[in-house]
């Protein structure tokens, strides 16, 4: 391992030590006519991840002719978790899988909308908040 990669790993471990919390990633089956359920073909992962929430500005434009175009902007939160890829032990998690924050019970669960690799060996897992079941 190069010195640079060793420093990257130390940096990633520091992120987990300072900002990390235990989270559970539960594989979820896709269903067409029902809510789906736990996918038993893939293992549940209990890992350390950093919860992040940032403001993201969205823009809605109207395709009306010139002079009648009103642009509307609003701010929505972007919620994502940062996880070391090595903690997932090669298991592929995907869109629709669920994330639960284990250290803060009672908070809403999340569903994965996008997983992107970062340059430092971590994964950025974008999520959406799940509404509680009625």
């Amino acid at each position: 391992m190069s010195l640079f990669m060793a420093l990257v790993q130390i940096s990633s471990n520091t992120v987990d030590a300072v900002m990390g919390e235990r989270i559970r990633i539960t594989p979820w089956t896709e269903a067409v006519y029902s809510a789906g359920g736990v996918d038993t073909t893939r293992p549940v992962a209990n890992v350390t991840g950093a919860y992040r929430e940032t403001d993201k500005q969205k823009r809605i434009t109207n395709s009306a002719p010139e002079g009648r175009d009103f642009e509307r902007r609003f701010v929505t939160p972007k919620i994502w978790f940062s996880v070391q890829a090595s903690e997932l032990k090669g298991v592929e998690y995907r869109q629709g899988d669920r994330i639960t924050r284990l250290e803060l019970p009672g908070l809403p669960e999340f569903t994965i909308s996008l997983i992107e690799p970062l340059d430092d060996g971590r994964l950025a897992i974008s999520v959406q908040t799940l509404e509680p079941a009625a």
Side-chain angles (χ1 to χ4, degrees):
M1 178 184 289
S2 71
L3 176 59
F4 178 77
M5 289 310 296
L7 293 174
V8 166
Q9 185 63 47
I10 290 170
S11 172
S12 188
N13 290 342
T14 303
V15 167
D16 284 341
V18 174
M19 298 177 5
E21 63 182 272
R22 299 300 294 166
I23 62 173
R24 174 173 293 141
I25 303 175
T26 306
W28 208 257
T29 60
E30 295 180 20
V32 179
Y33 298 110
S34 65
V38 176
D39 183 357
T40 57
T41 63
R42 296 181 290 146
V44 172
N46 290 326
V47 297
T48 300
Y51 173 84
R52 312 256 175 106
E53 187 172 334
T54 58
D55 288 336
K56 181 178 181 182
Q57 191 174 73
K58 293 200 176 228
R59 186 178 79 162
I60 298 176
T61 58
N62 186 2
S63 59
E66 284 78 9
R68 308 192 102 211
D69 188 13
F70 296 99
E71 182 177 276
R72 296 180 297 267
R73 293 178 185 266
F74 59 95
V75 176
T76 60
K78 178 181 180 188
I79 303 170
W80 54 287
F81 290 88
S82 171
V83 176
Q84 289 189 37
S86 60
E87 277 205 67
L88 299 180
K89 298 176 178 55
V91 177
E92 186 178 322
Y93 295 94
R94 56 183 175 247
Q95 182 178 358
D97 291 346
R98 305 292 171 92
I99 292 183
T100 307
R101 297 172 77 180
L102 298 176
E103 295 178 11
L104 298 167
L107 291 182
E109 285 190 317
F110 303 93
T111 183
I112 296 174
S113 56
L114 181 66
I115 300 176
E116 298 176 295
L118 300 173
D119 291 339
D120 60 356
R122 298 180 74 83
L123 298 173
I125 304 174
S126 297
V127 297
Q128 296 175 341
T129 304
L130 280 173
E131 295 297 322

